């Protein structure tokens, strides 16, 4: 047994010695590669936060509106032509139940009053509309239909007044002295025409004066007679033509005046002095219209035309010449077709005034009675017409300024 164990041991030793000899004879084994230096470790990522809640719904912002995902839209609309309050009343009939429409007010700059800040608030032409998104197109359509420029009309008025006048005046002054020594010594008479009586040094009598007298043997036999006969004849034609034109908006009164102020002197006595005061009165032509309804082819409007002019003068206290005024007025409500000419009113009048005075009996002698009387005759014939022609202004706001017919062409010619 021992001999077998020894033999196994000796065989193992021989194997070890043989392997060592082979290892010494073989080339050395290569070294394993050196691994590259490890990169520095990245900093540890922070711990992930707890899960965030869901993001709020997005709100869309536009230039004139704010839209939220819940279906509500706030829209700011600038009103162009109509009253925002009137437009709001109409839109209230078409909005949804919870919608809200209100006009905005803008404050002026603050005013310092009694140490306190005060603001004046002026209604702005801005509407704030809060409405459901699906109903907003309906409100937009209503606004397009309602926020339109008011219709306008150009009224061409014409005033024609023609006055024909004619007058004749005569009068006399006479002094008679009887011949010899008789009981009747003579007489005198003064019957001058009104134009002569109203004449002044600044405005002398504008007429003819004829002088008669008995001289020589005739004066010795029949007495002396000195007489002056004054005569004046006048004839005239006055024509007043006015053509005021004015552009008016439906429902709004429009007025145009053209004339001048005429001074009126008034004399009054203060103690021993005569003083005068001056007031003024307007004369000329005025036109006032209010279009009540402007349709497609016709216009209903209230119209008032007036002309005031000086027709003469009268002598007042202290010899002051005061003017006499003539007023002509036509006022009516009418409906007229677009472009049609209508005579609004007319007046034809004839005035005849005749006055005569003189020496009794003598003034009634045919022909010779003219030398012993004064007579004035005045005839005035007046024709007056008020004429109106309305023209509806057509076109859209997008075309620019709503100019009267022919006005654009005139402006273009002036620019050239």
């Amino acid at each position: 047994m021992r001999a077998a164990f020894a033999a196994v041991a000796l065989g193992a030793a021989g194997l070890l010695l043989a392997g060592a000899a082979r290892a010494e004879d073989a080339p050395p084994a290569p070294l394993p590669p050196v691994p590259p230096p490890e990169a520095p470790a990245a900093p540890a990522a922070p711990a992930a936060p707890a899960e965030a809640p869901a993001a709020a719904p997005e709100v869309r912002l536009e230039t004139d509106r704010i839209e939220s995902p819940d279906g509500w839209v706030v829209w700011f609309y600038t009103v162009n032509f109509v009253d925002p309050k009137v437009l709001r009343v109409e839109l209230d009939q078409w909005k949804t139940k919870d919608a809200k429409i209100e006009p905005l007010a803008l404050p002026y700059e603050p005013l310092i009053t009694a140490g306190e800040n005060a603001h004046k608030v002026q209604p702005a032409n801005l509407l704030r509309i809060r409405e459901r998104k699906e109903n907003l197109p309906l409100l937009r359509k209503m606004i397009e239909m309602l926020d339109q420029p008011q219709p306008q009309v150009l009224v061409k008025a014409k005033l024609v007044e023609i006055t024909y006048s004619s007058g004749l005046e005569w009068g006399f002054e006479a002094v008679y002295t009887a011949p010899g020594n008789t009981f009747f010594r003579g007489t005198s008479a003064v019957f001058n025409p009104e134009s002569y009586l109203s004449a002044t040094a600044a405005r002398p009598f504008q007429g003819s004066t004829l002088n008669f007298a008995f001289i020589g043997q005739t004066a010795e036999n029949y007495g002396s007679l000195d007489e002056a006969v004054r005569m004046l004849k006048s004839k005239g034609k006055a024509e007043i033509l006015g053509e005021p034109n004015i552009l008016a908006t439906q429902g709004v009164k429009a007025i145009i005046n053209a004339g001048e102020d005429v001074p009126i002197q008034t004399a009054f006595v203060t103690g021993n002095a005569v003083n005068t005061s001056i007031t003024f009165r307007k004369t000329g032509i005025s036109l006032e219209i209010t279009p009540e309804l402007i349709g497609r082819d016709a216009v209903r409007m209230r119209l008032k035309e007036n002309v005031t002019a000086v027709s003469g003068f009268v002598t007042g206290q202290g010899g002051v010449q005061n003017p006499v005024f003539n007023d002509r007025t036509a006022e009516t409500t009418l409906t007229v077709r677009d472009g049609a000419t209508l005579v609004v009113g007319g007046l034809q009048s004839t005035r005849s005034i005749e006055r005569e005075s003189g020496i009794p009996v003598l003034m009634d002698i045919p022909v010779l009675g003219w030398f012993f009387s004064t007579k004035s005759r005045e005839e005035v014939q007046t024709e007056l017409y008020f004429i109106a022609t309305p023209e509806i202004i057509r076109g859209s706001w997008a075309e620019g300024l709503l100019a009267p017919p022919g006005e654009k062409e005139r402006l273009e010619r002036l620019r050239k």
Side-chain angles (χ1 to χ4, degrees):
M1 184 69 179
R2 289 180 182 176
F5 181 77
V8 173
L10 288 175
L15 291 171
L16 291 172
L17 290 174
R22 289 195 297 269
E24 290 178 359
D25 295 337
L31 296 175
V34 179
E38 296 181 0
E51 184 177 354
E58 181 183 0
V59 177
R60 295 179 56 188
L61 299 178
E62 299 182 11
T63 56
D64 60 348
R65 57 186 250 171
I66 304 172
E67 182 178 342
S68 59
D70 58 358
W72 287 98
V73 177
V74 177
W75 178 34
F76 297 91
Y77 174 73
T78 302
V79 183
N80 294 313
F81 304 106
V82 300
D83 189 343
K85 295 181 180 179
V86 176
L87 184 59
R88 173 194 176 186
V89 172
E90 295 297 330
L91 295 179
D92 281 341
Q93 303 178 25
W94 300 92
K95 67 181 182 64
T96 57
K97 179 180 178 182
D98 296 328
K100 190 174 183 180
I101 303 173
E102 56 184 353
L104 297 183
L106 302 179
Y108 284 133
E109 296 182 358
L111 303 176
I112 306 301
T113 306
E116 299 180 358
N117 289 337
H119 290 78
K120 285 187 176 180
V121 178
Q122 179 189 26
N125 59 332
L126 190 66
L127 284 181
R128 180 170 57 195
I129 303 173
R130 183 178 181 271
E131 178 58 285
R132 301 293 301 178
K133 182 178 180 180
E134 57 271 14
N135 195 52
L136 194 59
L138 176 60
L139 294 187
R140 283 181 176 270
K141 187 64 177 178
M142 294 300 301
I143 289 176
E144 291 177 2
M145 296 173 58
L146 297 174
D147 192 19
Q148 295 290 331
Q150 292 293 317
Q152 295 178 315
V153 61
L154 175 67
V155 178
K156 298 180 178 180
K158 183 179 291 186
L159 171 67
V160 180
E161 182 179 11
I162 304 175
T163 302
Y164 304 92
S165 62
S166 63
L168 176 63
E169 297 181 47
W170 72 76
F172 75 97
E173 291 185 24
V175 177
Y176 174 73
T177 303
N181 297 323
T182 59
F183 174 76
F184 176 73
R185 299 305 305 155
T187 185
S188 63
V190 177
F191 292 95
N192 283 312
E194 292 185 3
S195 297
Y196 179 82
L197 296 177
S198 60
T200 61
R203 297 181 59 185
F205 173 68
Q206 305 295 310
S208 174
T209 302
L210 303 178
N211 296 297
F212 302 91
F214 290 164
I215 59 175
Q217 190 65 36
T218 304
E220 293 179 1
N221 296 334
Y222 302 102
S224 62
L225 173 66
D226 292 321
E227 182 171 355
V229 179
R230 297 181 174 91
M231 295 179 293
L232 173 64
K233 182 176 178 59
S234 61
K235 180 183 294 186
K237 175 184 177 182
E239 182 174 343
I240 299 175
L241 176 62
E243 297 187 38
N245 299 339
I246 191 169
L247 184 67
T249 302
Q250 178 174 288
V252 181
K253 180 188 295 186
I255 301 174
I256 184 172
N257 293 302
E260 59 185 6
D261 291 340
V262 176
I264 303 173
Q265 291 186 355
T266 304
F268 58 93
V269 179
T270 304
N272 295 327
V274 178
N275 300 317
T276 59
S277 63
I278 298 178
T279 58
F280 292 88
R281 179 173 175 179
K282 289 187 176 296
T283 61
I285 299 173
S286 67
L287 173 64
E288 177 181 322
I289 64 169
T290 304
E292 295 182 345
L293 179 63
I294 302 176
R296 185 178 62 181
D297 297 320
V299 179
R300 187 177 75 236
M301 60 184 177
R302 293 196 305 269
L303 182 144
K304 180 179 180 180
E305 290 182 274
N306 175 263
V307 56
T308 302
V310 177
S311 60
F313 292 86
V314 295
T315 303
Q317 187 176 5
V320 176
Q321 294 291 316
N322 289 325
V324 178
F325 296 92
N326 245 342
D327 279 336
R328 302 283 191 273
T329 302
E331 183 174 1
T332 184
T333 300
L334 53 91
T335 300
V336 60
R337 182 170 51 85
D338 178 28
T341 299
L342 184 67
V343 178
V344 177
L347 172 65
Q348 293 183 344
S349 63
T350 301
R351 183 181 63 185
S352 179
I353 302 175
E354 186 171 340
R355 293 182 295 269
E356 185 176 3
S357 58
I359 300 176
V361 180
L362 296 180
M363 63 178 290
D364 296 326
I365 301 175
V367 181
L368 293 179
W370 290 10
F371 296 93
F372 302 99
S373 64
T374 178
K375 187 174 183 178
S376 64
R377 183 174 63 245
E378 180 183 8
E379 292 184 1
V380 178
Q381 182 179 356
T382 302
E383 299 177 2
L384 176 66
Y385 301 98
F386 292 99
I387 304 171
T389 304
E391 294 184 6
I392 299 175
I393 302 300
R394 306 188 185 279
S396 64
W397 181 258
E399 296 177 2
L401 177 64
L402 299 179
E407 187 66 15
K408 291 183 180 180
E409 292 78 3
R410 188 185 70 85
L411 294 176
E412 290 176 357
R413 290 195 302 269
L414 293 177
R415 295 190 187 102
K416 293 180 180 179

